[in-house]
Amino acid sequence: METSNSNLNTKIKLSKLQEARALYENKEYEKSFSLYKELAEAGDADAQFNLGILYANGYGVLKNYIKAFVWYEKAALQGYDEAYFNLGLFYYNALGIPRDYAKAFEYFEKVAQQGNAEAQFYLGTLYADGKGIEQDSDKALTWYKKSAEQGYIQAKKVLAEISYKAPLEKEFKRLRIERQRKVEEQQKIEKQQEKDKLQELKRGKIIKGRRKTIKFSKKQQKKSKVVISKDERIVKDKISKKKGKKRKVNKIKRRAEKQDAIFKSLGKKRFN
């Protein structure tokens, strides 16, 4: 007698589920909501999951992400796989709850391993971005491929982008390295040039800038005058002839004065 009552209850439940599903497909959301709620409160996982969908989308009831999450969670606790995926989406997109990529990864992984193509795609994305799990390009590619093999369009698009960008990124990387190498070589040349100029400045042979007279040591000042060409920057030494002649005349005068002093002391007069 108990078995027959149980079978009867099961048949009634299945009948109500079919009716609720038909009402949902006909967009009679309020009636569908009432039936799903009755069954969900009675503990039916399928009804709990669908009630979560109605709350999440605002069908037949005001949209409420928190209530949707609660009913998804109840269905998941009974092993309803699609509920696990939706919980992952809620954590991934922060729908009514704080964003938590680690939790999203946990739920996506559970259903991805059971062959859910959409969950496999999201799992690949988390691996690719390093969110909720350590970044791993190889694992990301593996899950994208699994999702694409089942016909998931988004996964196919990602794989197409990867195959297109891979050679371009390789070429861009080569060009970046080449440009960096040239920049470094130029910097080395410029540093060496600056170093050479500093050494020459210390030796007093060159100066940077417009045409001007350079002052060196006292010995060099007496000896020469250095003129720098702005364009050619060539050091030219010009011995001052005027100063040289003046020094020669002064030397002759001093010698003559000495001779006059000597002749005077001897009482003689020097003849020119």
Side-chain angles (χ1 to χ4, degrees):
M1 187 72 177
E2 289 180 4
T3 304
S4 61
N5 286 334
S6 177
N7 290 335
L8 181 62
N9 289 334
T10 301
K11 286 181 180 179
I12 292 171
K13 184 174 71 173
L14 288 172
S15 176
K16 286 186 176 181
L17 278 172
Q18 288 174 355
E19 185 182 351
R21 193 172 292 114
L23 289 167
Y24 180 87
E25 289 172 357
N26 290 328
K27 297 184 179 180
E28 294 182 55
Y29 298 127
E30 289 183 6
K31 292 180 180 180
S32 177
F33 174 81
S34 295
L35 279 174
Y36 274 134
K37 188 177 181 183
E38 179 188 337
L39 293 166
E41 288 174 346
D44 184 83
D46 193 351
Q48 289 170 344
F49 172 75
N50 283 287
L51 191 63
I53 289 175
L54 292 171
Y55 271 119
N57 292 281
Y59 293 157
V61 67
L62 288 174
K63 183 182 286 189
N64 191 319
Y65 286 130
I66 295 174
K67 287 185 178 181
F69 181 85
V70 169
W71 286 109
Y72 284 145
E73 201 168 38
K74 286 182 178 182
L77 288 172
Q78 296 194 67
Y80 202 86
D81 292 339
E82 290 181 73
Y84 277 107
F85 174 74
N86 282 16
L87 287 171
L89 283 179
F90 269 55
Y91 278 116
Y92 186 88
N93 295 305
L95 299 175
I97 55 172
R99 194 185 307 277
D100 190 332
Y101 290 119
K103 281 280 188 183
F105 178 86
E106 180 185 336
Y107 286 118
F108 286 143
E109 186 180 37
K110 188 174 183 67
V111 283
Q113 289 174 345
Q114 294 175 10
N116 185 300
E118 197 170 359
Q120 289 170 343
F121 170 77
Y122 276 99
L123 199 61
T125 302
L126 289 170
Y127 270 119
D129 297 339
K131 293 178 177 178
I133 190 70
E134 187 177 351
Q135 199 274 340
D136 192 323
S137 299
D138 293 333
K139 287 184 179 179
L141 190 60
T142 298
W143 285 109
Y144 280 141
K145 284 180 178 178
K146 285 183 178 181
S147 179
E149 285 168 2
Q150 295 192 71
Y152 194 67
I153 295 173
Q154 288 296 103
K156 288 182 177 180
K157 286 181 179 180
V158 170
L159 288 175
E161 285 181 14
I162 291 171
S163 61
Y164 172 73
K165 287 180 179 179
L168 286 178
E169 287 180 354
K170 188 176 180 180
E171 179 62 16
F172 289 152
K173 185 178 180 180
R174 187 190 68 78
L175 290 172
R176 283 196 300 270
I177 292 170
E178 182 65 20
R179 282 197 297 270
Q180 184 62 27
R181 186 184 63 78
K182 288 181 179 179
V183 168
E184 288 174 357
E185 286 180 356
Q186 184 62 30
Q187 287 175 345
K188 284 181 181 178
I189 291 170
E190 289 175 357
K191 282 181 180 179
Q192 187 59 44
Q193 288 176 344
E194 288 296 323
K195 189 176 179 181
D196 292 343
K197 286 179 182 179
L198 285 171
Q199 289 176 348
E200 289 179 351
L201 278 168
K202 287 177 181 178
R203 291 197 299 268
K205 290 185 177 179
I206 192 168
I207 190 169
K208 183 179 179 182
R210 59 182 178 277
R211 176 181 287 269
K212 62 189 291 186
T213 301
I214 307 172
K215 293 183 179 180
F216 297 102
S217 64
K218 289 183 179 180
K219 187 175 180 181
Q220 288 173 322
Q221 287 178 18
K222 290 178 181 178
K223 193 173 182 180
S224 65
K225 184 185 290 184
V226 182
V227 180
I228 303 303
S229 169
K230 180 182 178 182
D231 298 324
E232 298 176 359
R233 295 181 181 175
I234 298 171
V235 178
K236 293 182 180 181
D237 292 339
K238 292 187 176 181
I239 298 173
S240 179
K241 295 181 180 180
K242 290 183 179 180
K243 288 186 177 181
K245 287 180 180 179
K246 189 175 181 181
R247 285 196 297 272
K248 192 174 181 180
V249 169
N250 289 338
K251 190 176 180 180
I252 292 169
K253 282 184 177 180
R254 285 196 297 273
R255 190 184 297 163
E257 287 173 356
K258 284 181 181 179
Q259 289 178 357
D260 286 340
I262 292 167
F263 278 104
K264 189 174 181 181
S265 62
L266 295 173
K268 297 180 182 180
K269 188 175 181 182
R270 184 176 68 85
F271 297 95
N272 291 325

